[in-house]
Amino acid sequence: MSVIKVPEIDSVDWSCAACGEELVRRPVELEYLDSQFTVELPVCPQCNMVLIPKALALGKMHQVEQLLEDK
Amino acid sequence: MTVGSVPLWEQPVLRQTAGETLRPGSFELTDRGADLLGFAPGWKILDVGSGLGASVNRLRSRYGVEAYGVEQSIRQLEQASDTSNLVQATGDSLPFAGGSFHAVLCECALSLFPNPGAGLAEFQRVTMPGGFLILSDLFADRAAPAEPGSCAGRAMPLASIRQQVECNGYEILRVEEHTVLLKDLAARLVLAGGGSEKECGCAGRKGLGYYLMIAVKGY
C-alpha cells in the first residue's frame, strides 16, 4: 500500500535535540491493533528517532484509534 | 461518502489512499471471489460499477478471463488507463444480451444504486443459467435514511441484501464479513484527509460493515 502523506506534517520544522540534525520526512510503519499504515513522518537522519507532532497524536491518530477500536 | 457536491470516489484522496480500485481491500476480495469460483480462461465476466477498470484489467491478466466493465460516470471512464473493455451505462440497464456472462461482479457499488433490486434483476438477466454473482459492499446494522450520492448513507442491513439477492433468482452460496478492510481504508482516509471528520462517511458513522457475498443463478 502507498505511503500516506499527512498534510499537517508539511509545516513541521524541527531539529533532533540529541543529534542536532534537522528532521527529514521519511516513511514510517505505524501499527495499531491489526492494522498497519506507512505514514510519512519527521525522522532524525542520525538516530532515526521519529517525531509525532502533538496535534497529529491528539487529532487524527486518536480518531483512527477510536475508529479501529469501533468506539 | 460525499464532501460537498463531489462524491468521495471522484476525489484524488481516495485514489491516493485506496489505489486504482477506489474501494476497501484493493483486489483482496476480487481475487477471493475469483479463486473461490475458480475463474478460468475463456470465462466471460462483467464488472458493474467498474470505475477506472482496475478489476477488469486484473481479472484479464491474472485469470485470463474475458472481462468487461460497465461504468456510468464519464469522469471515471476518462481517467481509466484502458477503456477498450469498458462501456458507459447504468447498472440497472445493461447493454448486453440475456445469459451473456459466467459471472457478474459488483464491488462497492450496489449501495449506490437508486433501486438495488432493479440492479440485481438486471445482473440476473445477463448471467447465464448456473452462473455466479459476486457482491462486495457496505452493510449497516440497521436501515438508515438514504443520503443521495453517499455509499455510507445508503448502506442496507445484510438481511435486506440477502433477501433482495434471493428474490432475484439467486441462491446464496457464501457470505463473509470483511469489515476490517473498511476500517483500514477509513483510517487511511482520516490520516490523509484535510482534517475534516466528514472526509469519509465510514469514519463518522457507527454500525457499518463490509461483506463479500457469492451467489449462483438457478437453472
Side-chain angles (χ1 to χ4, degrees), chain A residues 7-8 60 63, chain B residues 190 192-199:
Chain A
E8 289 88 331
K60 286 182 174 179
Q63 195 181 338
Chain B
V190 168
S196 163
E197 289 188 1
K198 292 179 180 172
E199 290 287 343

Side-chain angles (χ1 to χ4, degrees), chain A:
Chain A
M1 198 58 82
S2 59
V3 177
I4 300 169
K5 298 193 181 204
V6 184
E8 289 88 331
I9 297 302
D10 288 344
S11 58
V12 171
D13 185 18
W14 286 68
S15 296
C16 176
C19 308
E21 297 277 347
E22 272 192 32
L23 303 192
V24 294
R25 278 177 236 141
R26 282 190 185 159
V28 174
E29 300 285 331
L30 300 180
E31 281 185 36
Y32 193 72
L33 297 177
D34 294 326
S35 294
Q36 185 172 325
F37 310 100
T38 307
V39 181
E40 197 174 83
L41 290 172
V43 178
C44 172
Q46 183 88 19
C47 66
N48 292 319
M49 188 75 83
V50 176
L51 170 71
I52 297 178
K54 187 177 177 184
L56 180 64
L58 299 179
K60 286 182 174 179
M61 288 178 81
H62 178 62
Q63 195 181 338
V64 166
E65 286 172 5
Q66 288 190 312
L67 193 155
L68 295 175
E69 290 165 6
D70 208 11
K71 285 183 178 173

